[in-house]
Amino acid sequence: MSKKINRDVLWLLSLISVFFGILLISSNSTEVKAQTVNDYIISNKIQPVSIQYREGTFNDWFGYENGVGKPEGVVVHETADYNATAENEVSFFNRDWPRIQSYVHAFVDNNEIINIHSADYGVWGAGPTANNKYIQVELCETHTQDAFARSIANDAYYVAAKLIQYNLPDIPGKTVVSHDQVSKMYHETSHTDPVGFFASMGYSMDQFNDLVITYYNNLKNFGSVYNNTGSNTNAGNNNNSSSSANVLRVNNSNGDYVPIMALRTDGTFARVTNRALMNNTDWQTDKTREYNGVTYRRVATNEWVATTYVV
Ligand SMILES: [Zn+2]
């Protein structure tokens, strides 16, 4: 238990060092309440990174019980690997899934969100019943307060974005479930993640759900995870598609690839010749721009796709 206390003390000290001005001392002053992880994320407007879509090696393409493209929610996992990054986990699972009989849609850490299997199809992450219902995402472990907060922002963003992409409501315990809840509901696995790791970082599934709901509502209403301007105001000059899905699926029915364009400093677009998007792939988008009567959506720093290719 002294270890636990030491960890709590360290946690408090790190918070105090960063937020010495924001500590709240309760009225009877026997208890010091530190800023929560969610407060830290929101007050610092920690910006989630974009979802990277990389096709993985998992080749068991099965639809959910309601069909292809019809997940019922998202399972939140935690890797239980002290040191592995999302990149490490992606490499490991792409190599070893046939041996370990396990695969998920995405891995998230404090720097990256890597989606390795289309969420239109199921994966092997939590027993057959859950695998036939849910998108599944693994959070990688980090061990500093700031890295943990960043990883949580990324994880919550992934969950919210997928709920929106598949037109699902955000209902904690129903459309957003922990692996722990899945184990208790279906009794096909005994895993309890991410509860223990969350607790070790002073966090809980309830708090995670609070952040997901915040992101979900803001993405739906404003197109970004934080509703007030300031952090994300440089969206293009045509940002009025309020409901705009943040994820585009692109397809070129006349070819194998979807062409992309680069925006030049003079405001014109030029065809990118050494890169294209694969057909039927999903891309995060954040900006819209009109040029010569064509609407373009931005999918990378300077890569734009004409909406004529958006499915
Ligand atoms: Zn799990």
Side-chain angles (χ1 to χ4, degrees):
M1 282 296 100
S2 63
K3 254 186 186 159
K4 170 83 169 86
I5 289 163
N6 279 339
R7 181 172 275 181
D8 288 346
V9 169
L10 279 175
W11 174 255
L12 261 182
L13 283 175
S14 69
L15 282 170
I16 287 165
S17 65
V18 180
F19 298 111
F20 54 92
I22 315 177
L23 284 176
L24 304 172
I25 299 167
S26 66
S27 53
N28 60 12
S29 71
T30 53
E31 182 192 0
V32 175
K33 273 191 186 159
Q35 197 181 31
T36 66
V37 174
N38 286 353
D39 290 340
Y40 178 80
I41 292 168
I42 291 167
S43 64
N44 288 287
K45 288 202 176 71
I46 290 177
Q47 202 65 38
V49 299
S50 298
I51 301 170
Q52 301 172 49
Y53 291 94
R54 301 184 201 166
E55 200 55 61
T57 60
F58 187 63
N59 62 11
D60 182 17
W61 297 94
F62 62 96
Y64 301 97
E65 63 184 4
N66 291 341
V68 172
K70 295 205 165 69
E72 294 164 52
V74 185
V75 178
V76 178
H77 294 269
E78 176 271 310
T79 61
D81 191 327
Y82 194 90
N83 285 317
T85 64
E87 294 283 356
N88 297 150
E89 296 286 3
V90 164
S91 299
F92 175 77
F93 276 83
N94 275 335
R95 188 180 59 235
D96 285 333
W97 70 264
R99 180 177 62 80
I100 59 177
Q101 296 283 290
S102 178
Y103 207 80
V104 295
H105 292 100
F107 287 93
V108 172
D109 64 17
N110 51 324
N111 296 312
E112 292 186 290
I113 305 171
I114 310 174
N115 191 100
I116 52 176
H117 194 68
S118 170
D120 283 358
Y121 299 86
V123 287
W124 299 346
T129 305
N131 292 344
N132 283 305
K133 291 175 182 288
Y134 300 113
I135 299 166
Q136 304 191 47
V137 58
E138 289 270 4
L139 178 73
C140 297
E141 293 198 356
T142 52
H143 304 283
T144 67
Q145 183 225 2
D146 185 71
F148 179 71
R150 286 176 191 284
S151 74
I152 287 295
N154 289 338
D155 207 28
Y157 171 66
Y158 181 84
V159 173
K162 288 297 150 189
L163 291 176
I164 290 170
Q165 181 183 353
Y166 290 99
N167 281 316
L168 292 165
D170 182 354
I171 305 172
K174 188 154 186 287
T175 62
V176 181
V177 289
S178 65
H179 193 172
D180 179 56
Q181 288 173 308
V182 164
S183 294
K184 290 180 169 115
M185 284 191 286
Y186 308 122
H187 307 286
E188 294 170 344
T189 58
S190 57
H191 292 200
T192 59
D193 57 294
V195 174
F197 173 63
F198 274 7
S200 79
M201 299 303 289
Y203 202 55
S204 70
M205 194 62 198
D206 286 344
Q207 290 173 317
F208 182 72
N209 274 311
D210 288 345
L211 188 66
V212 172
I213 287 170
T214 300
Y215 281 3
Y216 179 90
N217 288 334
N218 286 341
L219 284 167
K220 274 208 149 175
N221 295 327
F222 308 106
S224 69
V225 293
Y226 301 112
N227 62 0
N228 47 5
T229 55
S231 70
N232 200 13
T233 51
N234 57 346
N237 51 9
N238 187 7
N239 197 21
N240 56 357
S241 45
S242 57
S243 67
S244 75
N246 303 67
V247 176
L248 302 176
R249 169 153 300 190
V250 297
N251 187 54
N252 178 3
S253 52
N254 298 313
D256 295 333
Y257 296 97
V258 175
I260 48 181
M261 308 287 276
L263 177 63
R264 294 191 286 216
T265 49
D266 65 0
T268 63
F269 279 92
R271 175 83 180 263
V272 174
T273 54
N274 60 351
R275 236 182 81 74
L277 307 180
M278 284 183 54
N279 277 341
N280 289 308
T281 53
D282 295 328
W283 297 89
Q284 196 71 28
T285 183
D286 62 347
K287 293 187 183 181
T288 302
R289 205 163 173 119
E290 306 280 339
Y291 175 62
N292 273 355
V294 178
T295 303
Y296 294 90
R297 304 292 299 271
R298 191 171 88 150
V299 295
T301 307
N302 192 16
E303 293 181 355
W304 302 71
V305 60
T307 53
T308 45
Y309 297 109
V310 174
V311 178

